[in-house]
Amino acid sequence: MMYAFVDRPVESLCNGGRFLLWAMRAWVLAAGRGQCPPQMLYRGFTAVEARGALPDFHIAMALLGGDAVETLLLAPMPCLQISEDEAILLGLWCDFSLGSAANARATLALLAEGDSVGPIAKAMGAAIDRLVAAGFDMSALAAGAMTHQESSK
């Protein structure tokens, strides 16, 4: 799934995909500056009525950041292209939005220490559920990925 996103323009993502990419980049930026990521993201999550997704999103990102086998590198906020690591993460979010937790867990097992795969999966799944409850059509993330895959053949 990751190949459906890598090097694509950010603007090609659905609203939910753009929000997740913004949130991931903002989380990494805040953490890198020594700021509290949930505090820095609170206004953005609240603005789209997705405040309930923030705690689980934060847990997923903190565990990915702390327990990753290799450091995940996200592009700077203004970057207009989706980086490779961002594509991997978007693929994970997409798998959870499709109910493909087994696929996501298999990918997470390659990215993170074994003990954290379950908690990361639980947090990502809960965050997706809460984003859907807030009105984001997360299935559009997968639909956009499929459209891009088909057009690149």
Side-chain angles (χ1 to χ4, degrees), residues 84-95:
E84 186 174 332
D85 287 349
E86 291 168 339
I88 292 168
L89 294 174
L90 285 169
L92 283 169
W93 292 112
C94 187
D95 281 344

Side-chain angles (χ1 to χ4, degrees), residues 63-72 85 107-117 120:
L63 289 171
L64 280 166
D67 294 344
V69 175
E70 292 182 24
T71 302
L72 296 170
D85 287 349
T107 302
L108 283 170
L110 300 172
L111 295 176
E113 302 295 331
D115 290 351
S116 51
V117 169
I120 294 169

Side-chain angles (χ1 to χ4, degrees), residues 29-108:
L29 179 65
R33 291 179 173 173
Q35 299 169 321
C36 174
Q39 184 178 11
M40 300 309 296
L41 295 173
Y42 180 81
R43 183 178 277 160
F45 274 75
T46 299
V48 296
E49 299 180 11
R51 184 174 52 243
L54 182 54
D56 291 304
F57 176 82
H58 171 62
I59 289 168
M61 292 299 293
L63 289 171
L64 280 166
D67 294 344
V69 175
E70 292 182 24
T71 302
L72 296 170
L73 302 173
L74 276 64
M77 198 63 80
C79 186
L80 301 177
Q81 297 293 115
I82 300 168
S83 75
E84 186 174 332
D85 287 349
E86 291 168 339
I88 292 168
L89 294 174
L90 285 169
L92 283 169
W93 292 112
C94 187
D95 281 344
F96 282 108
S97 73
L98 294 172
S100 301
N103 287 346
R105 283 177 176 269
T107 302
L108 283 170

Side-chain angles (χ1 to χ4, degrees), residues 2 24 27 30-31 45 50 72 92 101 114 121 145 152:
M2 145 227 182
M24 291 187 301
W27 191 97
F45 274 75
L72 296 170
L92 283 169
S152 65

